[in-house]
Each structure stands twice: as C-alpha cells, then as structure tokens.
C-alpha cells in the first residue's frame, strides 16, 4: 500500500477524480477489508492522530461508520453534533472548525446541510497552512464521496469477488432511480461510475430530474496526463428504459417533504411509476443487483421483499463496505504521509 | 433636530470650513471621458458610444491624445482647453496624466445598514465609501429597519446629507483633508414597512423629497401593483420595481442550470424573473407610469425589455454590476459573497446583460451595495444573506473587465461605461446628469486605471467587507472626486 497514486489533501468532490485514484482507494479498501476480517480488527496506522467528526447535520449511520473507521486505525476521535453546539449562538462555521483545529485535529470529517461547507472549511485550512485534511461526509445536495466510493467497492466486489478491480465496471449499466435532483449520493456516484467506464442511466419524473443533468455531468474527464474519458450519462423520464438490461439498480431515498413542493402528486403514484418491484426487475440483466444508500422508505422507492432478498440486495454489503472504504480514505489522506 | 421638516433640511448651507469659494484647481492632462459628447443627451447615445475618445480628441478642447487641462473655480468648471496658461498663483495643480476625468458617478440603489444594522454600514460610512469609489450621488434603498416609509424617517437621511460637504481633497489614505462624502438620495418604500401590503403616503413622501419609490423587494400583489402605477401617474417620481415572483423563485439561491446541479445548490428558474417582468410590461402598456426595472438578470429578461423598448414603452432598466462580472461558473468555491438575489446568471445570461449595456437596452449599471458583517456572511452559501458590497470596487473592476482588460468578449469604451454609471442612472431618476462642460458644477471623478491596491478591511471605507475581491489586489482607483453641495433639491 505504499506506492499508490495519491496526492490529495482533501476529499470534497469526486468531479475530478481519475481512474487511478479510484483504483488506489479500491485496493486500499480491499486491504482494510482483510484487516476487518481478522481476529484483531485494529491497525496502528493513525495512532496519535486526531480525527474530528464535525456533523453539523445530524447523522447516526455515517457518523458511526466514520467513527469506527477512525478507531480501527487507532486514531483518537472527537465528535461534534449540533445538539451540543453553540452554532445557534452566533458562532460561524469557521469558528467551529478552528476550535477543533486548536485541539490538535489532524483530519476533519464534515457533514453539513449546506452545499459547499466542507469546501469552505478546506479553503480556510489551506489559507491557515495547518495541513489539516477535510473529508466531505455529505454536504447539502452537493456530494457524498465516501458513499459513492463504498458503492464502488460494493459493485467491484460483486462483479469479481476474487480480484475486484475498477476495470470490471467498464461497460456496465447502472440505473439510478428516484429523487436525483436533491441527491448528493447520485451526484457523487455519477462522477465515480462514469469515470470508471460504467453507463449511468438516471430515471425519475422531470420534476426530480431536470434535463440539464445531462449537460451537467457528461463533460469528459481530462486526466493530468491528458487522457480524455467520455462520461456516459442518460436521462430517462420513464423507468423501464433505464432498467432495460441494467446490471445494477440503485434506488434513492424519497423524502416525504417533496410532496409539499408540488414535485410529485403522491407517494402512491411515485411507487406506481418508479417503484422498484420484482416484476420490473425482469427487464434488467439476469444477475441484476439492487443498491440503496439508506435509510429506505420500504414500499415507496422499493418493495420490502426486494430489500431483504440476499440474492438481489447489496444493501447490507454497502454498509459493511463503508467502514473499509472510510478507513482507506482516512489512511490515504492522513496515515499515508507518516 | 426633531423639528426638522423637509423644507428646512435642504438645501444645506455650504460650510466654509470645507469649501472655499476661492479654491482654484487645475487638473492637468487627464484623458477626458467622452467630454460632453452625447453623454448627457440621452437620445444621442449612439454617437458617444461609437466615438468614445477618438471623437473627443477631435474636439477643440482636447489634445489629439484626448487629454486636456480642466480649470475648476468655486465649484464650477471654469475652462477646458488643450493647455491652460496664466493661472492664478494659488491654483492647486493636480497631475492628471495617465488618468481619466469624467462626470461624477451616480448609483441607482444601494443599501445602508442604518437604520437598524449600523454594524453593517452607516450613512456616514456608506457616503464615504461611495465617494471613494467615484460616486457623487447614491440612491439609498428604503427597506431598512425601520423602513423609509414616512417623511420623518426620510428626514434622518436628509439630515445626514447636511453633513455632506464638498471638498476636493485627494483620497489618499493619509490625507489630512476632510474626507469626501457622496450625496445620499433617499428612496421611499412603496408599502408600509416594505411588507408589500399597504401603500405608503406616496404623495406626501414625493413632496418631502423622495428620490422615487421602491420596496427593494418584489411586489407580489398585482392589484397593489396596478393601483400603485395608476396612483403614481401625476406624482412625477420614478417607481423602481424588481421583477421577481418569489413563489417561482422558491428557496433557490443560484440560477437554475447545469452548474447549479453540479454544485447541488437549489436553483431559481429564469421564469421567476420573466413572468414578473412580462406582467409588469403589460401593466405599463395600459398604465403609462414612470417605471424603472431594477435588477434585470437573465438573457430572456433582456430580450423582453428590448422588445418593450422597441414598442415604445416608457421603461428604463438596470443590471446589478456583479451580474456583468460573474456568472454561475464562478461559484465553485461557494463564496457567500457571490450569493446574490436575483442570483448570478449562467454564462449566456451574463453575455446578454453585457450586450444589453453595450446597446443601451439596459440604461444603467446599479451597484446594489449590500453590506453584511463577517459573522452574518460566514455561513453556508445557501443560508448567507444575498448581496455584496460594491461602491468602492465597481468602477475599477468594471474598467478592468470591460475597458482595459481582455477578460470579456464584449468591450466597452470608457464613454459607454461612464454612460451606464453616470448619465444613464441620472436619466432613469429624472436627475440632471453631471456634465464635464464649461459652466457646469464641478461634479467630477479623476480615475487612475493603473493604481493598484489591496482590498483589505482597513483599506475599505465601508464597514463591511463582504466582497469576492477581499484579500485580493485590484487595479484602478479614484484619486480625486468633486461632489458639489448644491445638489440637494
């Protein structure tokens, strides 16, 4: 794990990640999967380092995953959550970050309901020249890189359990179905999957999937060596064309508040039109697998029995991949320099 | 001064301590911006636009290089000639070589923090910031706390003006001379508290010296809009309206489009502007009130205005200056100072806005100065209050972007830029434009396009420093400004 291509100090967006970087993350995460399968699931990689989880937006699952990842790497962890914060008392987002900086934080894992906050804090850390890395754990409707990367690991593990590689994704068809417009998971997955050569087919009603998604996410990726990678993105306002021969179907969570903005007539109609059912999966490739970033609205975006079908659902594997991938990211950002 | 009434607050008496009638100054060999060629003749804009400095150079009052000596005596322009000689011995000589001399700039609408948020900006700091940026007069938005919805609140601004004095002091940071201040022209609100519900006492406010009427916010109620336009007809004051349907704008913070999707920021559809604009234009077609369309921000909005003007509708329009310089592609860093309302356009919007300024469909560039404190602006992009400061930055940045620099496909001549910042806004407001002509009051700006300075809080006269240029070095600085006292109506 010593000569992997990696020179990022922060992970904010996957927009400019190149295949070699995805490969680095995948290979590192696979090694940590090995560690996690051992009796002693802990390595001393980040011993003495402080990882601060600044979760301005409440989250239990992602925060727990990051906390466990940091602990498996022997880092000391600090947790910030808004319930115990002074944010409502006039403290700015930078004040909070600087407080944790003063405590000797080496890596900041940041989640915020506002798009761009991790980027802003990363800029400030660079301006201060303190060498603190920032990892975006989900910002507004912008990105959720670690989720997309654990999805990547999950897909590669599924495609080739013996020797997973991002090469296996080339030409695979991935359907992402649901509230694309408001999804940071969809955005990060768009960048990672298309960069690795997969075709991404988005499906939702037009209110949740503006046409401009096509233009927004299909600009070719230019690598530092000048290589051009075309991104294959497709927009569907009906479900079946997206499912046709799909190798993977990712359903996104549909927030109930979308009803109030006239984005959908009803959850019932949404399920009728875009719900993932066993019947509809017949249009997909024979070995199709289902993903969901969770938490799921059973019976809305996906029927309950599909969620629990181990032959079809990769949902629990996604959760398990999460720890290994987050260990890999913390290692690459912080541990690798020691 | 509770007994102050509008009739006693203006005109203010010139203070002899800051203006000496015997002061004589000569500005040597500055480039003359457009002279008075068409700059003050609304209908003759084409000439000024095409001619720029070259035509000015053919004027017998300037050299072939378009430079001249300008003599100012007792607050008036006494002479303009290629070279002035035999000047009185005590004449103060200002070297204008390499600089541009033009009429004072006029801002249509900017926001003060006072009253209500004096930590953002006061009348005093705003007035000084405006003068430092070349603005001799500034329209003050009335949606403060409390709002300028009565003659008594307005009188406070008029009193602040009486502290405004002329001086030709250099704006050098260590100048011992009194600092210049711009004249503050108070807009009054259309509705009580700018709440959009009940009309203010429009006739009384008009008589008390309101510049015109605006809420600084969209007027949503169409019945109120119609009655307003009808009622305003005899009052001879402009109504500035921001075409925006807040229901369609929803909670958007950036212009809808691919970049908004990539950034994951909620978008505002252009139809929030264009449907409101179409409604307004239809109203004006029926009710020929004096309307100024503020904050035009979309390509389609410019097209609707072009069409309306071609049909002869009596409407003028302005674009906030940030929208000419930035677009959604500049939002990668989520700088809260680039959050504006209406939001910055997509690249095609910006190009259409620039073209609108160049061909005169957009009459004026507004500064829409919106000061906020550090703690108010250091929040997530989507929760930041919209707006940025601009009075001290607009002229240098616009000059650098459109006149001297090659940062835009569309270039503007010095005369075109000046038109949009001086005579244009004056005409939108029905004010006499400042003129660079013999016999005119000396309401002038001497601008050095090559002077570099750092945009740091300590170098800004504004109390706030919410600007995307903070901590950067920019080129261009107003070196002298002449702000006459007798401007008060």
């Amino acid at each position: 794990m010593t000569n992997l291509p990696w020179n990022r100090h922060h992970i904010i967006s996957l927009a400019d990640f190149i295949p070699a970087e995805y490969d680095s993350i995948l290979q590192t995460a696979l090694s940590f999967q090995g560690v996690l399968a051992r009796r002693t699931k802990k390595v001393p990689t980040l011993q003495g380092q402080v990882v601060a989880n600044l979760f301005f937006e409440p989250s239990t699952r992602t925060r727990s995953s990051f906390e466990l990842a940091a602990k498996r790497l022997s880092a000391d962890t600090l947790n910030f959550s808004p319930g115990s914060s002074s944010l409502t008392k006039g403290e700015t987002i930078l004040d909070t970050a600087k407080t944790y900086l003063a405590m000797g934080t080496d890596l900041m894992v940041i989640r915020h309901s506002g798009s761009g906050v991790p980027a802003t804090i990363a800029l400030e850390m660079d301006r201060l020249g303190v060498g603190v890395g920032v990892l975006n754990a989900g910002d507004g409707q912008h990105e959720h890189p670690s989720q997309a990367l654990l999805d990547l690991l999950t897909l590669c593990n599924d495609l080739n359990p013996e020797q997973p590689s991002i090469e296996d994704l080339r030409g695979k068809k991935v359907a992402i179905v649901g509230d694309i417009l408001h999804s940071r998971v969809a955005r990060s997955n768009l960048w990672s999957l298309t960069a690795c050569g997969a075709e991404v087919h988005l499906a939702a009603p037009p209110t949740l999937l503006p046409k401009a998604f096509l233009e927004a996410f299909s600009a070719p990726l230019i690598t530092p060596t000048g290589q051009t990678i075309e991104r294959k993105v497709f927009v569907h306002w009906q479900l079946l064309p997206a499912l046709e021969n799909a190798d993977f179907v990712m359903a996104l969570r549909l927030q109930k508040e979308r009803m109030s903005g006239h984005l959908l007539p009803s959850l019932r109609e949404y399920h009728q039109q875009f719900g993932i059912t066993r019947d509809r999966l017949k249009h997909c490739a024979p070995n199709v697998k289902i993903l969901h970033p969770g938490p799921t609205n059973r019976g809305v975006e996906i029927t309950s029995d599909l969620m629990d079908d181990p032959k079809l659902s990769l949902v629990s594997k996604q959760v398990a991949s999460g720890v290994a991938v987050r260990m890999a990211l913390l290692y690459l950002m912080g541990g690798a320099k020691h | 001064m509770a007994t102050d009434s509008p009739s006693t607050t203006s005109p203010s008496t010139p203070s002899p301590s800051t203006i000496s009638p015997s002061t004589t100054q000569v500005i040597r060999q500055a480039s003359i911006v457009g002279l008075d060629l068409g700059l003050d003749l609304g209908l003759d804009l084409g000439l000024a636009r095409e001619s720029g400095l070259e035509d000015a150079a053919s004027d017998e009052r300037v050299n072939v290089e378009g430079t001249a000596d300008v003599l100012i005596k007792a607050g008036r322009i006494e002479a303009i000639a290629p070279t002035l000689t035999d000047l009185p011995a005590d004449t103060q000589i200002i070297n204008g070589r390499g600089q541009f001399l033009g009429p004072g700039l006029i801002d249509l609408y900017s926001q003060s923090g006072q009253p209500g948020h004096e930590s953002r900006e006061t009348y005093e700091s705003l007035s000084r910031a405006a003068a430092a940026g070349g603005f001799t007069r500034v329209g003050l938005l009335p949606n403060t706390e409390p709002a300028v919805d009565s003659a008594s609140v307005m009188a406070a601004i008029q009193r602040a003006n009486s502290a405004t004095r002329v001086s030709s002091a250099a704006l050098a940071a260590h100048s011992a001379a009194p600092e210049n201040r711009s004249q503050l022209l108070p807009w009054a609100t259309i509705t009580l508290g700018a709440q959009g519900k009940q009309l203010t006492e429009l006739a009384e406010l008009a008589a008390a010296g309101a510049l015109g009427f605006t809420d600084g916010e969209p007027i949503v109620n169409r019945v109120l809009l119609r009655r307003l336009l009808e009622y305003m007809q005899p009052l001879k004051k402009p109504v500035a309206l921001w075409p925006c349907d807040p229901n369609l704008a929803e909670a958007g913070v950036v212009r809808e489009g691919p970049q908004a999707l990539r950034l994951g920021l909620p978008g505002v559809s252009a139809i929030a502007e264009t449907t409101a604009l179409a409604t307004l234009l239809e109203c004006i077609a029926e009710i020929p009130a004096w309307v100024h369309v503020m904050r035009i921000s979309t390509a389609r909005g410019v097209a609707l205005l072009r069409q309306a003007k071609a049909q002869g509708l009596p409407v003028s329009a302005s674009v906030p200056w940030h929208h000419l310089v930035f677009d959604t592609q500049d939002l990668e860093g989520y700088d809260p100072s680039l959050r504006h309302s209406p939001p910055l356009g997509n690249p095609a919007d910006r190009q259409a806005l620039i073209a609108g300024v160049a061909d005169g469909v957009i009459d004026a560039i507004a500064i829409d100065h919106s000061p906020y404190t550090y703690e108010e602006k250091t929040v997530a992009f989507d929760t930041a209050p919209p707006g940025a400061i601009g009075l001290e930055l607009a002229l240098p940045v616009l000059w650098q972007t459109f006149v001297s620099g090659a940062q835009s496909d569309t270039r503007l001549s010095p005369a075109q830029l000046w038109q949009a910042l001086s005579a244009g806004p004056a005409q939108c407001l029905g004010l006499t434009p400042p003129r660079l002509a013999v016999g005119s009051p000396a309401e002038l700006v001497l601008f050095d396009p090559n002077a570099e300075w750092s945009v740091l809080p300590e170098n800004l006269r504004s109390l706030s420093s919410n600007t995307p240029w903070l901590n950067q070095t920019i080129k261009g600085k107003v070196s002298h400004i002449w702000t006459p006292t007798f401007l008060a109506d």
Side-chain angles (χ1 to χ4, degrees), chain B residues 147-210:
Chain B
V148 184
D149 58 3
S150 70
S152 62
V153 182
M154 202 163 66
I157 302 172
Q158 289 161 330
R159 277 198 298 279
N161 261 335
S162 66
T164 303
R165 291 290 176 268
V166 111
S167 120
S168 56
L171 289 173
H174 302 295
S175 165
E179 280 259 341
N180 274 289
R181 297 189 183 110
S182 169
Q183 193 195 20
L184 307 178
L185 308 170
W187 288 92
T189 60
I190 292 166
T191 65
L192 291 177
Q195 297 295 304
K197 294 198 174 89
Q198 189 181 339
L199 292 174
T200 50
E201 293 172 332
L202 299 161
E204 184 184 68
L205 283 160

Side-chain angles (χ1 to χ4, degrees), chain B residues 72-360:
Chain B
I72 297 168
K73 196 173 172 184
R76 285 193 178 271
I77 298 171
E78 187 86 356
I80 304 173
T83 310
L84 288 168
T85 51
D86 301 328
L87 298 171
D90 62 347
T91 304
Q92 184 196 347
I93 295 169
I94 296 164
N95 182 6
R97 202 170 282 281
Q99 304 193 51
F100 285 79
L101 184 69
L105 306 183
I106 296 175
D107 180 30
L108 282 170
Y109 40 88
S110 274
Q111 188 87 52
S112 162
Q114 188 178 353
H117 294 278
E118 286 80 0
S119 55
R120 296 174 185 163
E121 203 79 281
T122 60
Y123 296 141
E124 165 82 13
S125 64
L126 182 94
S127 178
R128 290 174 53 190
F135 292 87
T136 49
R137 310 180 226 176
V138 177
L140 267 194
L141 284 170
N143 47 331
T144 43
E145 292 175 28
V148 184
D149 58 3
S150 70
S152 62
V153 182
M154 202 163 66
I157 302 172
Q158 289 161 330
R159 277 198 298 279
N161 261 335
S162 66
T164 303
R165 291 290 176 268
V166 111
S167 120
S168 56
L171 289 173
H174 302 295
S175 165
E179 280 259 341
N180 274 289
R181 297 189 183 110
S182 169
Q183 193 195 20
L184 307 178
L185 308 170
W187 288 92
T189 60
I190 292 166
T191 65
L192 291 177
Q195 297 295 304
K197 294 198 174 89
Q198 189 181 339
L199 292 174
T200 50
E201 293 172 332
L202 299 161
E204 184 184 68
L205 283 160
L211 177 63
F213 296 90
T214 183
D215 270 2
E217 296 288 334
I219 296 288
V220 181
N221 185 327
R222 292 180 188 193
V223 179
L224 189 144
L225 175 65
R226 176 195 166 179
R227 298 304 182 208
L228 167 74
L229 296 179
E230 287 174 343
Y231 192 87
M232 282 305 297
Q233 289 174 96
L235 295 185
K236 312 270 182 256
K237 294 280 182 179
V239 177
L241 294 166
W242 172 15
C244 172
D245 180 339
N247 291 319
L248 279 170
E250 296 181 88
V253 295
V254 293
R255 178 62 64 213
E256 210 165 83
Q259 182 67 352
L261 292 176
R262 272 190 294 265
L263 296 168
L265 290 169
V268 180
S269 167
I271 62 175
E273 172 170 299
T274 55
T275 55
L277 179 57
T279 300
L280 178 60
L281 293 172
E282 282 302 306
C283 290
I284 302 169
E286 283 295 315
I287 313 159
W290 180 4
V291 170
H292 175 76
V293 177
M294 61 198 301
R295 297 180 180 143
I296 202 76
S297 71
T298 64
R300 177 74 187 142
V302 176
L304 287 172
L305 278 172
R306 181 171 280 117
Q307 202 175 29
K309 285 190 158 189
Q311 289 165 1
L313 285 190
V315 65
S316 63
S318 58
V319 57
W321 76 288
H322 279 102
H323 292 66
L324 299 172
V325 180
F326 293 114
D327 58 39
T328 49
Q329 290 184 318
D330 298 299
L331 297 173
E332 293 286 345
Y334 294 92
D335 182 347
S337 290
L338 291 173
R339 196 215 149 172
H340 290 261
S341 193
L344 297 173
N346 284 311
D349 294 314
R350 188 165 79 92
Q351 288 311 317
L353 292 166
I354 297 166
V357 170
D359 69 14

Side-chain angles (χ1 to χ4, degrees), chain B residues 1 21 55 60 98 177 217 237 266 295 331 339 389 474 479:
Chain B
M1 297 276 283
D55 263 34
E60 60 186 20
E217 296 288 334
K237 294 280 182 179
R295 297 180 180 143
L331 297 173
R339 196 215 149 172
I389 60 164
I474 64 172
S479 63

Side-chain angles (χ1 to χ4, degrees), chain A residues 53-92:
Chain A
N53 292 315
L54 308 184
F55 277 57
F56 297 87
E57 179 187 76
S59 152
T60 309
R61 300 150 48 108
T62 304
R63 208 211 62 203
S64 299
S65 181
F66 268 110
E67 194 176 346
L68 185 57
K71 285 180 167 157
R72 294 286 195 225
L73 293 169
S74 305
D76 296 316
T77 56
L78 297 171
N79 289 313
F80 167 89
S81 56
S84 53
S85 87
S86 46
L87 266 191
T88 48
K89 299 171 198 155
E91 185 173 283
T92 72

